[in-house]
Amino acid sequence: MKAKAAVFREKGVDLKIEEVEIDNPQPNEVLVKTVACGVCHSDLHFVKGSILGPVPTIPGHEPAGVVEAVGSAVRSVAVGDHVIACTSMFCGRCKQCQQGRPYLCMDRRACQRKKGDTPRISLDGKPLTQFADLSAFCEKMLVHESAVVKIDDDIPLDSASLVGCAVTTGVGAALNTAKVKPGSTVAVFGAGGIGISIIQGARIAGAKQIIAIDLVPEKLDIARKFGATHTILGGPDSPDGDPVKAIKKLSRGGVDYAFDAVGLTQLSQQSFYSLAPRGLAIIVGAIPHGQKLELDPGHFYVEKSIIGCFMGSNRFHIDALDYLDFYKQERLDLDSMISERLPLEDINEAFKMMDGGKVTRTVITFD
Ligand SMILES: [Zn+2]
Ligand SMILES: [Zn+2]
């Protein structure tokens, strides 16, 4: 069947709305009519060339929609179900999956079509490789069953879509990766979609102090609405001065957890240096390929740690439903995270806005 999609061909060239051909589901696949898809920094990194992958492709990996068809072996969803999707699909059989870490699945190929099969998506008669195995900036998505989770019909799909990446990554970074303790102190560098999600995760976990750091004053105001107890304006001319010193002063000696929500080596360093003894720094944002992170080893004497975080260490089929329960209980605010809704045709505009650094989350909505 035909579907309209935003196709990316090369760095520096705007995405173009084109018609692609979507195949019918194989036994373990689900066809979803896309209703909403958040625009993530990983999409932006990809179209700017700082993450590499096969082209042409259709970006987009934070979607929600309605199931249109299912393969013969699919049991977890049915036609008409509302679903959200995440790129953390999994085989269920490899060592990481068996140890309860499906987000680190070592056999992702099990969730893709076999070589020689008809491609899930083709463009101009040629196979198109799915971005994040989802390719969600498209009217329809054909994905592996493990990529989708059924959600309640009364949850608005635009808000729910954010759980597909930003919320799973950020809330999961606080709850799963860092395991933030009640009464602890937290610093979050970067108050975009991921940073706001970390702040909410830390608030849900019961942190007593949550310090948000960003270069944009408006984003600090937003951070307070989502649970930041203190804010620090970053940048060389900031009246708040050096963020590390400011954090140490506010927290009386350093925080228990510090998150780099952006993925910049300077912020990773500052996260590490802001910690109290025994503190934990978590690198959540993706540091661009080829860069090196340098750390003053003296900080290890007081038993500080620094760790990575991939997709909020998620078990999507459990976490997503927890997060949507938090949403229903008004403990997790998804609605206010959406700063803009745009049609697919405005995808390039959405990327420009995100690059400008002022939006929390833009969601592409489909009719
Ligand atoms: Zn993402
Ligand atoms: Zn696996």
Side-chain angles (χ1 to χ4, degrees), residues 40-43 61-62 165-166 169 194 311 361:
C40 175
H41 264 101
S42 307
D43 298 309
H61 62 279
E62 194 176 83
C165 183
T169 300
I194 302 285
M311 291 296 296
R361 214 60 166 172

Side-chain angles (χ1 to χ4, degrees), residues 307-327:
I307 57 170
C309 167
F310 184 61
M311 291 296 296
S313 311
N314 74 74
R315 287 156 305 158
F316 191 63
H317 290 242
I318 299 170
D319 297 354
L321 299 181
D322 285 351
Y323 300 162
L324 290 169
D325 280 341
F326 291 152
Y327 169 71

Side-chain angles (χ1 to χ4, degrees), residues 63-124:
V66 180
V67 175
E68 234 173 43
V70 296
S72 57
V74 169
R75 297 289 173 269
S76 61
V77 293
V79 173
D81 282 351
H82 289 196
V83 293
I84 54 176
C86 175
T87 188
S88 295
M89 52 201 83
F90 51 91
C91 75
R93 290 179 297 272
C94 73
K95 194 170 175 185
Q96 293 294 336
C97 280
Q98 299 271 5
Q99 288 175 332
R101 291 183 291 269
Y103 64 100
L104 294 176
C105 176
M106 296 154 78
D107 187 17
R108 225 186 140 76
R109 276 209 199 138
C111 305
Q112 299 165 346
R113 284 204 171 173
K114 290 188 184 59
K115 259 197 173 142
D117 283 5
T118 317
R120 284 181 184 153
I121 308 176
S122 29
L123 173 67
D124 305 329

Side-chain angles (χ1 to χ4, degrees), residues 19-249:
E19 208 169 62
V20 294
E21 178 71 25
I22 313 260
D23 198 28
N24 292 316
Q26 283 190 353
N28 57 7
E29 291 175 347
V30 179
L31 179 72
V32 179
K33 183 190 179 313
T34 318
V35 174
C37 183
V39 184
C40 175
H41 264 101
S42 307
D43 298 309
L44 181 66
H45 280 315
F46 184 74
V47 302
K48 286 174 80 178
S50 47
I51 297 179
L52 301 176
V55 288
T57 190
I58 303 163
H61 62 279
E62 194 176 83
V66 180
V67 175
E68 234 173 43
V70 296
S72 57
V74 169
R75 297 289 173 269
S76 61
V77 293
V79 173
D81 282 351
H82 289 196
V83 293
I84 54 176
C86 175
T87 188
S88 295
M89 52 201 83
F90 51 91
C91 75
R93 290 179 297 272
C94 73
K95 194 170 175 185
Q96 293 294 336
C97 280
Q98 299 271 5
Q99 288 175 332
R101 291 183 291 269
Y103 64 100
L104 294 176
C105 176
M106 296 154 78
D107 187 17
R108 225 186 140 76
R109 276 209 199 138
C111 305
Q112 299 165 346
R113 284 204 171 173
K114 290 188 184 59
K115 259 197 173 142
D117 283 5
T118 317
R120 284 181 184 153
I121 308 176
S122 29
L123 173 67
D124 305 329
K126 292 190 198 103
L128 177 146
T129 306
Q130 284 174 304
F131 180 79
D133 291 309
L134 294 171
S135 275
F137 293 144
C138 181
E139 290 171 326
K140 290 177 197 294
M141 294 180 290
L142 182 58
V143 298
H144 189 266
E145 179 181 8
S146 73
V148 296
V149 170
K150 175 177 155 54
I151 64 166
D152 291 343
D153 288 353
D154 57 349
I155 300 172
L157 286 166
D158 49 1
S159 296
S161 74
L162 304 186
V163 176
C165 183
V167 169
T168 286
T169 300
V171 178
L175 299 184
N176 299 334
T177 318
K179 298 189 170 66
V180 170
K181 289 196 181 80
S184 59
T185 53
V186 173
V188 181
F189 286 83
I194 302 285
I196 293 295
S197 301
I198 297 170
I199 289 167
Q200 297 211 68
R203 171 172 50 70
I204 290 166
K208 71 172 178 190
Q209 184 180 51
I210 304 171
I211 306 167
I213 305 96
D214 203 284
L215 296 172
V216 182
E218 292 89 333
K219 283 172 117 173
L220 294 176
D221 296 337
I222 293 170
R224 280 186 186 272
K225 292 195 185 107
F226 285 97
T229 57
H230 300 76
T231 55
I232 295 169
L233 185 64
D237 309 320
S238 163
D240 295 334
D242 173 39
V244 174
K245 281 190 189 142
I247 291 168
K248 291 223 154 164
K249 195 168 167 209

